[in-house]
Amino acid sequence: MSFKVLVFPGFGFLFCLAMLAEWIDRRMIARFQGRVGPPVFQPLADFIKLLGKEDLLPTGVNEKLMAALPLISLAACLTAGMYIPVAGVSVNNFEGDLIVVLFLLSLPSLLYFLAGWSSIGIYSILGGNRALLQFFSYEVPFLLALSGPAILNSSWNITDIMVNQSTSIWAIFVLPVGFMLAFFGLIGKLKRDPLDIPKAQSEIVAGPLTEFSGRKLAIWHLANQIQTVVGIFLLVDTYFGGGVIESRLATFLLFSFLALLILVSLSVMSAMYARLRIDQLARLGWKRLIPLSLLQIAFIVWMGKGF
Amino acid sequence: MTSTLIQKVFRWARRKSLWVLHYNSGGCNGCDIEFLDLLTPRYDVERLGIRQESVPRHADILLCTGPVTRQSRDRVLQIFTQIPEPKWVVVVGSCGCSGGVFQGSDYVLGGVDQVIPVDLYIPGCPCRPEIIIEGLIKLLEKIE
Ligand code: SF4
């Protein structure tokens, strides 16, 4: 059990992947901008340096809460990682774990809002409010988009969804729109560039994380990176059937390729698009994306009747 | 034994990852433009792990440009105390080092070292980006 928690697929494995993913992401963005980008150990150096820094907090905040928030966020992301099959290997699974994983992945956004609210600073509170508004705009389409493959394969177990698709057809070919919605939702969830409204650097400095420093900031960054990895794996498992084919090696290669593809697409989106305004995002979310995702569900149900 | 190893790891990390907070304490904006050049494709200091941050609490280095005016004195002090230890102060530009062309003015206190301790002076009016990079690398070697 402790091996599962500490090494695979728990902390050690996800930590290494998170560092690697951050490096690939930063390097890709730098390349797209015509720069060279950071060396491979950069995320690790940043993390260790932050661990060794002084831990300052503004006067008047609830210190226990401020210390607990990043830890809960990290724990939620790590727990979600326990239920995600990696390269066809599923360590834990039960019926309904898709719902649990989706809940655990949405927890950091709420904690992010709380972090802003409890750190008593004008920028943090503004950022927290924006985080909550953004949460309502992307979360609903994300949930509906990920329930598409679940209904299609009539199971709420990620492993079952994955295995089912390897014998029939990948969900992305049936539901390309659903994949787009899920991808968009993932960008919003990770607060990456076109949707980095809650932490918009040029408007509200660093949003809810403005008052965090040292160890707490390191854990926030780590939680966000692990969330990136888990989110990408979730998309690969539900929409690409986890890349499962006969041989172990081929599955591993295909899975890595697909995960890398999604990661690079995320970087492309960050490098290409400017930030949306919060009202633009809310309008886009509620007027376009949610009706679209509902239409998709109707389409699946209609298709199920047709067969 | 283990403690020296841990110290070594931390020293390595500190040398490889510097987050810079940039503050104009009263200069003419010339040095600020030169500093921003560091982030462009031509110089790209992200190679060296240097990154611009916008919050004092996340930063390691306070990079000041320009002399300290009476107006900005309190702000420099406040920003400096908000940066968590270990921290360093770098002054860019002649007038940040000594007051430069603004020396003797009624509204200027002088160089940045009149208000906070400075670790590195980079003179020039304005200094070229190459010199700023060289200065930052000198600072990296000093870090323990
Ligand atoms: S050193 Fe020269 S260029 Fe730099 S802020 Fe002072 S006057 Fe402007």
Side-chain angles (χ1 to χ4, degrees):
Chain A
M1 190 62 207
S2 59
F3 177 79
K4 274 188 196 171
V5 172
L6 289 177
V7 187
F8 181 86
F11 184 73
F13 177 69
L14 286 174
F15 181 82
C16 296
L17 278 181
M19 293 290 145
L20 191 67
E22 184 182 351
W23 174 68
I24 295 175
D25 175 39
R26 278 171 72 176
R27 186 85 175 190
M28 286 315 281
I29 292 178
R31 293 309 298 154
F32 289 131
Q33 294 173 344
R35 295 185 288 124
V36 178
V40 65
F41 52 75
Q42 190 59 53
L44 189 64
D46 285 348
F47 182 73
I48 296 176
K49 180 209 70 179
L50 282 178
L51 284 186
K53 282 200 75 113
E54 191 189 359
D55 205 346
L56 291 175
L57 280 179
T59 40
V61 298
N62 185 339
E63 282 175 25
K64 288 205 183 97
L65 184 65
M66 294 286 268
L69 285 172
L71 283 175
I72 302 174
S73 169
L74 180 66
C77 296
L78 285 172
T79 317
M82 297 285 284
Y83 293 98
I84 304 274
V86 180
V89 183
S90 148
V91 180
N92 299 309
N93 63 305
F94 60 89
E95 182 62 37
D97 57 5
L98 180 62
I99 308 276
V100 175
V101 166
L102 286 176
F103 168 72
L104 286 171
L105 282 184
S106 67
L107 209 54
S109 300
L110 292 173
L111 295 170
Y112 200 70
F113 157 73
L114 263 182
W117 192 255
S118 57
S119 55
I120 326 181
I122 188 80
Y123 295 124
S124 335
I125 292 176
L126 259 177
N129 280 337
R130 286 182 178 201
L132 212 54
L133 255 171
Q134 170 161 336
F135 179 75
F136 288 121
S137 314
Y138 74 78
E139 193 69 23
V140 181
F142 187 70
L143 288 179
L144 289 175
L146 279 182
S147 56
I151 302 174
L152 200 64
N153 295 294
S154 46
S155 164
W156 289 92
N157 182 331
I158 303 176
T159 312
D160 281 354
I161 295 174
M162 181 184 82
V163 173
N164 235 339
Q165 288 180 36
S166 62
T167 51
S168 58
I169 183 172
W170 285 1
I172 182 161
F173 296 128
V174 190
L175 311 165
V177 179
F179 178 71
M180 294 292 169
L181 292 172
F183 184 69
F184 184 85
L186 189 64
I187 298 178
K189 200 181 255 311
L190 302 173
K191 305 175 198 67
R192 291 180 55 93
D193 233 323
L195 303 182
D196 62 344
I197 302 166
K199 58 178 181 187
Q201 215 193 20
S202 47
E203 297 164 21
I204 47 173
V205 291
L209 301 190
T210 304
E211 306 293 346
F212 285 87
S213 64
R215 246 168 300 158
K216 295 179 185 120
L217 187 67
I219 293 177
W220 274 116
H221 282 324
L222 182 65
N224 189 271
Q225 286 311 317
I226 288 180
Q227 201 187 11
T228 312
V229 172
V230 173
I232 289 173
F233 284 178
L234 183 65
L235 283 199
V236 175
D237 282 335
T238 48
Y239 271 93
F240 295 91
V244 175
I245 29 184
E246 290 92 63
S247 88
R248 261 286 167 78
L249 183 69
T251 304
F252 175 74
L253 289 178
L254 188 59
F255 184 86
S256 320
F257 172 73
L258 290 169
L260 211 59
L261 196 72
I262 297 183
L263 181 61
V264 173
S265 325
L266 284 176
S267 318
V268 173
M269 295 292 280
S270 319
M272 249 166 58
Y273 291 107
R275 184 185 315 125
L276 293 180
R277 274 199 326 265
I278 187 72
D279 61 316
Q280 286 171 331
L281 173 68
R283 197 166 297 140
L284 181 73
W286 286 98
K287 280 198 180 157
R288 305 261 189 291
L289 302 183
I290 292 176
L292 210 61
S293 44
L294 285 174
L295 265 182
Q296 187 201 228
I297 301 274
F299 170 70
I300 303 168
V301 172
W302 169 79
M303 211 172 60
K305 258 198 196 133
F307 290 148
Chain B
M1 178 62 212
T2 44
S3 69
T4 54
L5 189 69
I6 291 174
Q7 274 169 2
K8 267 189 189 155
V9 170
F10 274 118
R11 193 175 64 197
W12 168 80
R14 273 172 198 153
R15 284 187 179 175
K16 293 297 174 192
S17 148
L18 282 185
W19 293 1
V20 178
L21 176 77
H22 166 218
Y23 179 66
N24 181 343
S25 55
C28 76
N29 209 18
C31 289
D32 307 81
I33 301 287
E34 298 301 321
F35 167 69
L36 291 181
D37 276 355
L38 298 189
L39 311 173
T40 56
R42 193 172 184 103
Y43 298 103
D44 185 28
V45 284
E46 205 183 3
R47 282 176 300 148
L48 308 171
I50 299 170
R51 198 165 103 174
Q52 202 207 358
E53 277 295 326
S54 42
V55 195
R57 287 190 200 280
H58 299 185
D60 305 300
I61 290 189
L62 173 60
L63 190 142
C64 271
T65 57
V68 181
T69 58
R70 284 183 199 282
Q71 283 268 334
S72 69
R73 180 184 168 273
D74 293 343
R75 281 163 211 162
V76 173
L77 266 176
Q78 200 176 8
I79 290 176
F80 180 70
T81 44
Q82 276 186 354
I83 299 180
E85 293 281 355
K87 58 189 165 189
W88 297 273
V89 178
V90 175
V91 172
V92 168
S94 300
C95 56
C97 296
S98 63
V101 288
F102 299 106
Q103 221 164 29
S105 162
D106 271 352
Y107 309 102
V108 167
L109 293 174
V112 177
D113 50 7
Q114 303 289 319
V115 188
I116 49 177
V118 175
D119 293 274
L120 182 78
Y121 298 90
I122 307 177
C125 180
C127 27
R128 293 188 58 82
E130 289 93 339
I131 303 287
I132 304 181
I133 295 180
E134 200 188 328
L136 286 174
I137 289 174
K138 287 248 167 69
L139 183 76
L140 288 181
E141 285 159 6
K142 240 174 71 175
I143 289 177
E144 272 308 314

